[in-house]
Amino acid sequence: MTALTLLDADGTTRAVALAPAPAFAKPRRPLEARVAYAAAHVVPKAHADNTPGQPAEIDWDATLAFRHHVWSWGLGVADAMDTAQRNMGLDAAATRELISRSAAEAASAGGSLVVGVNTDHVGDEPLSLEQVIDAYKEQLHHAEDAGAGAVLMASRHLAKAARSADDYRRVYREVLAAAGAPVVLHWLGTAFDPALEGYFGSTDTDAASATLLQVIEANRDKVQGVKMSLLDADAEVSVRRRLPDTARMFTGDDFHYVGLIEGDEQGHSDALLGAFAALAPNASAAIQALDAGDVAEYRRILGPTEELSRQVFAAPTYYYKTGVAFLSWLNGHQPAFQMVGGLHAARSLPHLSRIVELANGSGALERPELAAARWHELLTINGVGTSASDAAPAAPTDPARVGRASEAVPA
């Protein structure tokens, strides 16, 4: 068994045993128990000028192949979201092309797709409410013309222009009136984007929730659900229990998704998660377990991934995209650990090492030998030896855990 070298924050190395590849099986029929979208990232060309402020040059083959990977596991793709580096390197032209290309791929593959609609193509200049509405509509029409479903993302321009909850109600009313099909609303918390403080008209979560619910209730025929990304499970459950029966709650809580998706006697959350971009096989196997009525198996499969997700999304949370791309590289879905805007440098080696350790222990390394080789190469080019002579390899927490994942899936 291969020893996996890990790097701790004090610079010391240690070794653990490399866990076997997970034995998850792809679903033979559509997933039913939960609706789940993975918010996918983008892969830049490795030779491009992937430095801060430069336009994104996308490796379209790798980027679109990753979406097919997600669809093959029965999950939907949420594209052009913040996971794809909206407002952090993905420029307006690349965003438009990403939406068009992903929509065409979804149509060819029969995959489910929603895409982010925002106002970010305008730039950083302040907008009036009328200009915010027009900017939203421009992106909405592009998404719908491409054939994609829409996620109405939280707008920095709106957060800056709005003076009251009434302004939010007005903007959403007018934008939703222009939608050709029901959309998903998105409430993104300040952990992900500090510029969105006071969204929906208040820094008080209860007051902002009331405005959100008023928007949904007043536009029932135009809102299919809401994605909440506050990292506050209690707030999400509170809103979920007050939603009209026409709307779904899509959890965007990458800290507490296991319990939120499982739900309780009063309901559950579906999923639209950046974490699931790194965990598509695990997420699929867990939902397959729910389809089979096996809640214990769902918890066994998905439960250990939550600590990994918490590490990926650790503060400063808005750099979580680095961990998603890092795991994509480790698992062989992209040729290089590169990100647009130079964001691959946003996390330290010890932070990445902890991701490796938790991925190894939770069945999130799809090709363990490849992942180990790539990680050890990264350590080597950074001057860190991989002999790990200071510790003998320790067995994984539960070496049989990932080997039984497909047994609960009906044939």
Side-chain angles (χ1 to χ4, degrees), residues 161-250:
R163 295 293 177 264
S164 67
D166 283 339
D167 288 341
Y168 285 90
R169 285 188 283 265
R170 174 196 167 190
V171 168
Y172 279 96
R173 180 178 65 252
E174 296 195 26
V175 175
L176 290 170
V183 309
V184 176
L185 304 184
H186 186 193
W187 186 3
L188 191 67
T190 53
F192 293 95
D193 190 346
L196 298 176
E197 185 175 13
Y199 210 77
F200 289 114
S202 179
T203 56
D204 178 76
T205 301
D206 290 338
S209 296
T211 301
L212 168 66
L213 288 163
Q214 289 164 2
V215 169
I216 296 172
E217 184 63 41
N219 301 276
R220 278 187 173 222
D221 60 331
K222 292 298 182 75
V223 178
Q224 64 165 298
V226 57
K227 166 180 162 65
M228 282 186 64
S229 301
L230 302 188
L231 304 181
D232 184 336
D234 291 338
E236 178 175 318
V237 171
S238 175
V239 172
R240 186 177 78 197
R241 289 176 177 169
R242 290 179 285 162
L243 285 174
D245 57 10
T246 53
R248 293 177 178 271
M249 172 60 72
F250 292 93

Side-chain angles (χ1 to χ4, degrees), residues 252-337:
D253 189 334
D254 301 278
F255 284 6
H256 310 102
Y257 55 83
V258 176
L260 290 166
I261 294 171
E262 179 182 336
D264 54 31
E265 66 282 354
Q266 297 184 55
H268 65 266
S269 295
D270 292 298
L272 201 164
L273 287 163
F276 278 9
L279 298 167
N282 310 66
S284 174
I287 295 174
Q288 289 176 57
L290 288 181
D291 283 347
D294 193 338
V295 177
E297 182 71 352
Y298 162 84
R299 294 171 182 166
R300 188 183 68 80
I301 295 169
L302 205 58
T305 70
E306 201 164 73
E307 187 177 3
L308 168 61
S309 183
R310 284 173 175 264
Q311 176 67 12
V312 170
F313 286 78
T317 302
Y318 43 81
Y319 287 139
Y320 77 87
K321 305 163 188 69
T322 304
V324 172
F326 176 63
L327 284 166
S328 173
W329 173 64
L330 289 182
N331 284 324
H333 297 299
Q334 59 191 74
F337 180 35

Side-chain angles (χ1 to χ4, degrees), residues 4-6 14 16-19 257 278-279 282 301-314 326-327 330 350-365 375 396-398 401-402:
L4 187 62
T5 299
L6 301 173
R14 55 191 170 91
V16 298
L18 185 65
Y257 55 83
L279 298 167
N282 310 66
I301 295 169
L302 205 58
T305 70
E306 201 164 73
E307 187 177 3
L308 168 61
S309 183
R310 284 173 175 264
Q311 176 67 12
V312 170
F313 286 78
F326 176 63
L327 284 166
L330 289 182
H351 176 92
L352 297 178
S353 179
R354 182 61 175 157
I355 288 177
V356 171
E357 182 175 17
L358 294 170
N360 183 58
S362 62
L365 296 181
W375 169 238
T397 303
D398 181 3
R401 191 198 68 78
V402 296

